[in-house]
Amino acid sequence: MADRTVLSIGGEDRVSFLQGLVTNNVTKADGGIIYTALLTPQGKFIADFFVVGEDDRLLIDVATSHAPTLGQRLMMYRLRAAITIEQTDLIVSRGTGAIPDGAFADPRHPEMGWRAYGDADISDDTDWDALRVAHMIPKTGIELGDDTYVLEAGFEALNGVDFKKGCFVGQEIVARMKHKTTLKKGLAQVSILGEASPGDAITANGKPAGTLHTVSGDKALAFLRFDRADGDMQAGNATLTRLK
């Protein structure tokens, strides 16, 4: 996977350091893998990534496009923590079917297969966009951007937020959205009848209703205003209907 970079966090404070920053419980990555995100203090998305806990380090599997920003943010928060942050040469592989030795089941959804880290790419040729659309899995730079609130992107269903772990950056906003509001917009799966392209504006009865994102066959992921998504919608030359 050329679009993924693996960072390494070492040092005796590595777990407590990351635990105070990200949305998920880092202690659960001990000998395993978790999915999580780093947010701004205002609760908006900076980067999503996987954390793998090894004996003497934490591996951070992040989109290459967001690796420099994530690394810079982690360095900014480091202060006096006894940690090191380095980029590794590890190659990320992913696939479906039997999990290879040393690989990990993708924690976001059982149908998303496995992830492995090593010196060779052993990925298979799965249609990942089709899987993401089928199971509402957002992708960095497409469904996940600077203005994204992670609960609107489905992070709770993807096992990406732990509300019992304690404080993290942006936690107050995330908790407020969880406990005090009903989401009025967010990621959805839609059917497409006709032709439409990622990035097309979605309208309902002539009013803005959202944006179309990943398209796979006759289904797609879209960001919608839920109050305008009950009936038929339009995007490009297509009619859209919300499925879930």
Side-chain angles (χ1 to χ4, degrees):
M1 295 182 65
D3 62 345
R4 304 296 295 186
T5 294
V6 180
L7 305 177
S8 169
I9 302 181
E12 62 182 1
D13 293 341
R14 61 189 182 278
V15 174
S16 60
F17 165 74
L18 200 60
Q19 178 80 330
L21 299 178
V22 301
T23 59
N24 211 339
N25 189 339
V26 179
T27 65
K28 294 180 178 179
D30 185 14
I33 186 172
I34 62 167
Y35 178 59
T36 190
L38 180 67
L39 311 179
T40 69
Q42 295 75 34
K44 292 190 175 184
F45 175 86
I46 294 176
D48 67 319
F49 48 95
F50 299 88
V51 180
V52 176
E54 296 189 337
D55 289 342
D56 57 353
R57 63 179 180 175
L58 299 173
L59 299 181
I60 309 295
D61 166 6
V62 62
T64 297
S65 60
H66 285 54
T69 297
L70 178 60
Q72 290 167 6
R73 287 285 182 143
L74 294 177
M75 289 295 290
M76 180 183 75
Y77 284 119
R78 183 179 63 172
L79 300 177
R80 297 182 179 179
I83 63 161
T84 60
I85 303 173
E86 301 173 332
Q87 183 170 323
T88 76
D89 294 325
L90 290 170
I91 295 172
V92 182
S93 302
R94 61 178 176 175
T96 55
I99 301 177
D101 290 343
F104 302 91
D106 191 312
R108 296 172 296 178
H109 192 282
E111 297 300 320
M112 288 301 291
W114 48 263
R115 304 180 78 84
Y117 305 91
D119 56 8
D121 191 348
I122 58 172
S123 300
D124 63 25
D125 57 358
T126 296
D127 184 342
W128 294 102
D129 278 349
L131 272 184
R132 290 200 305 104
V133 169
H135 303 295
M136 292 179 58
I137 311 291
K139 184 175 180 178
T140 305
I142 301 179
E143 290 82 21
L144 298 173
D146 293 344
D147 291 329
T148 300
Y149 291 103
V150 291
L151 292 192
E152 293 180 345
F155 263 60
E156 187 173 8
L158 301 177
N159 304 308
V161 182
D162 187 326
F163 291 100
K164 298 179 180 180
K165 60 158 283 186
C167 293
F168 56 86
V169 178
Q171 182 263 345
E172 182 178 352
I173 306 301
V174 176
R176 186 182 305 149
M177 293 181 71
K178 164 70 174 175
H179 298 294
K180 295 185 179 181
T181 64
T182 299
L183 294 180
K184 298 180 179 179
K185 55 186 178 179
L187 192 66
Q189 184 195 85
V190 297
S191 65
I192 302 176
L193 180 60
E195 295 186 5
S197 301
D200 283 350
I202 300 172
T203 60
N205 297 318
K207 297 180 180 180
T211 304
L212 191 65
H213 291 300
T214 303
V215 177
S216 178
D218 62 354
K219 294 183 177 63
L221 294 180
F223 189 82
L224 297 177
R225 279 188 52 164
F226 297 141
D227 62 340
R228 296 180 179 175
D230 289 338
D232 288 346
M233 298 170 285
Q234 293 72 45
N237 296 314
T239 297
L240 275 56
T241 304
R242 183 183 176 189
L243 299 176
K244 58 183 179 180

